[in-house]
Amino acid sequence: MDRFGLFSECLLTGVWIAVAALPLLTFPAAFAAGTRHLRRHLAGERGGLREFAADALAAARGGWLVGVSVGAAGALLWLDLAAVRAGLPGGPFVGAVGILALIGYLVAVVRAAACWEPGAAWRPLLADAGRHTVRDPAGSLLLVCGMAVVVLSGALVLPLAVPVVGAVAAAATAVEARRLAR
């Protein structure tokens, strides 16, 4: 397989994911469609923007609830960090636990999205992804590092964060393929 072609497909997929995730609640659905697009590309199947859009719409039917839960988890973390800044007793510990919990939940959401297929329910996908997040620490660490690269890219040069999301989708696809191969 042409490695540069795969790299460019990942970057293009990152742009598609970013555009589809603009409402923020649709991020899990957009990521699921992106990873499905990359799986099709790796299998040599036909797929383009039309198939990506169809997958994004299908994944959004239940995926928007996952997006709401990610937003709620982010809001809870914001409250935890407000407690840390206010100097409440135990605040630093609660803040650290909150950050780690949010990171773990984001990894589980990314892993669930990487396994999504049309017609799949998100609740069982998230339950399985939560177990795999804990049982496969190397894969989970790879996804955490990928998310950190997106955040740092966005902090340095904001437009770079958009295509880098596609690299995280490729990493999630690879982590799940490795898990299935075991």
Side-chain angles (χ1 to χ4, degrees):
M1 171 167 276
D2 178 24
R3 291 182 183 157
F4 187 72
L6 178 59
F7 177 68
S8 63
E9 197 69 29
C10 290
L11 297 181
L12 177 64
T13 302
V15 172
W16 289 351
I17 291 170
V19 169
L22 281 177
L24 294 182
L25 298 180
T26 58
F27 171 74
F31 200 85
T35 56
R36 185 146 192 271
H37 170 74
L38 289 175
R39 286 194 311 266
R40 270 196 305 266
H41 180 76
L42 289 170
E45 298 172 7
R46 183 176 179 272
L49 183 57
R50 183 173 292 146
E51 289 81 7
F52 173 85
D55 285 342
L57 285 174
R61 289 190 185 97
W64 70 270
L65 286 172
V66 179
V68 167
S69 71
V70 170
L76 285 174
L77 178 62
W78 185 79
L79 286 174
D80 283 350
L81 295 178
V84 170
R85 285 189 299 272
L88 293 176
F93 176 75
V94 171
V97 169
I99 289 171
L100 291 175
L102 181 63
I103 290 171
Y105 186 59
L106 287 174
V107 169
V109 168
V110 165
R111 289 189 109 151
C115 295
W116 179 86
E117 292 287 335
W122 280 92
R123 182 174 281 185
L125 284 174
L126 279 172
D128 288 343
R131 283 189 291 279
H132 300 312
T133 298
V134 174
R135 291 181 183 161
D136 180 19
S140 297
L141 182 61
L142 176 68
L143 296 175
V144 168
C145 290
M147 288 185 264
V149 168
V150 170
V151 170
L152 291 174
S153 297
L156 295 174
V157 181
L158 186 60
L160 276 181
V162 172
V164 172
V165 171
V168 176
T173 303
V175 165
E176 290 308 309
R178 183 186 69 133
R179 182 188 62 79
L180 293 173
R182 286 185 177 178

